[in-house]
Amino acid sequence: MDEKILHEVSASAKKILKDHNVSLKTGFLAEDPEADMMIKCSSAEAREYFVAVSELAFALTQFIKNRSVATFVASMPVSRAEFFQNLTYAQSHRLMLFTAMPAHAYFREILGYRNVDELMRDEGIKHLPASLAIALWELSKLTGIAPSMAYGLY
């Protein structure tokens, strides 16, 4: 392939990723979660919540491996609606991803299903702890993305 064409395609792809807040290093996760999520914290409580949910998102694979998702979620502070009022479009969508992925991991750990299909076939009532549930609900209103099984985020 021609070097010039390759350079143009690469530059175009990088611009698309940048326009959609996708990092070449970390994908949908922010390279600097503190700078990304803490821009407009309304309070110290909001900052504490955003730090906890960021920590969970960035280390989710380790929490899953150690079967400690539920333990960490139980230790997280509970958010309030006002925490989400001043988020940018990118922040609200990224935070929705930060809470939806751990919610799936939480249910998998607690309920023991092997895949999403098993979870979807289980029509029993499922309870998500407030530390994730309130954020998912508030962010679903902001983003227009359903608070459960939100695969539009990936």
Side-chain angles (χ1 to χ4, degrees):
M1 182 178 257
D2 184 330
E3 289 277 331
K4 183 180 177 186
I5 292 172
L6 187 59
H7 178 71
E8 288 174 6
V9 168
S10 178
S12 178
K14 286 178 183 176
K15 182 183 181 324
I16 290 169
L17 292 172
K18 184 178 181 202
D19 290 348
H20 290 88
N21 297 297
V22 178
S23 164
L24 291 172
K25 293 179 184 175
T26 58
F28 292 105
L29 297 175
E31 289 183 34
D32 182 357
E34 294 252 347
D36 183 60
M37 297 308 299
M38 308 309 156
I39 294 171
K40 296 181 179 179
C41 279
S42 55
S43 67
E45 290 174 295
R47 180 178 174 77
E48 180 185 5
Y49 180 78
F50 292 145
V51 166
V53 78
S54 294
E55 181 181 340
L56 178 58
F58 273 85
L60 187 59
T61 56
Q62 195 62 40
F63 283 112
I64 291 169
K65 182 179 176 184
N66 296 335
R67 298 197 48 80
S68 58
V69 175
T71 300
F72 187 86
V73 168
S75 75
M76 288 175 58
V78 175
S79 63
R80 295 195 313 269
E82 60 266 19
F83 290 5
F84 310 102
Q85 290 177 346
N86 296 316
L87 296 177
T88 65
Y89 175 89
Q91 289 170 331
S92 61
H93 280 76
R94 186 166 286 132
L95 191 56
M96 184 74 170
L97 180 65
F98 279 18
T99 52
M101 288 172 50
H104 294 203
Y106 175 85
F107 282 134
R108 182 171 184 196
E109 185 175 296
I110 294 299
L111 301 176
Y113 69 89
R114 291 179 304 224
N115 55 50
V116 174
D117 183 52
E118 285 183 13
L119 174 65
M120 296 304 288
R121 285 187 302 201
D122 177 2
E123 295 182 12
I125 296 173
K126 298 159 192 74
H127 297 277
L128 188 63
S131 56
L132 292 177
I134 292 170
L136 279 173
W137 176 250
E138 293 299 328
L139 290 162
S140 72
K141 293 189 291 185
L142 284 173
T143 63
I145 299 170
S148 63
M149 305 325 244
Y151 288 112
L153 292 165
Y154 306 112

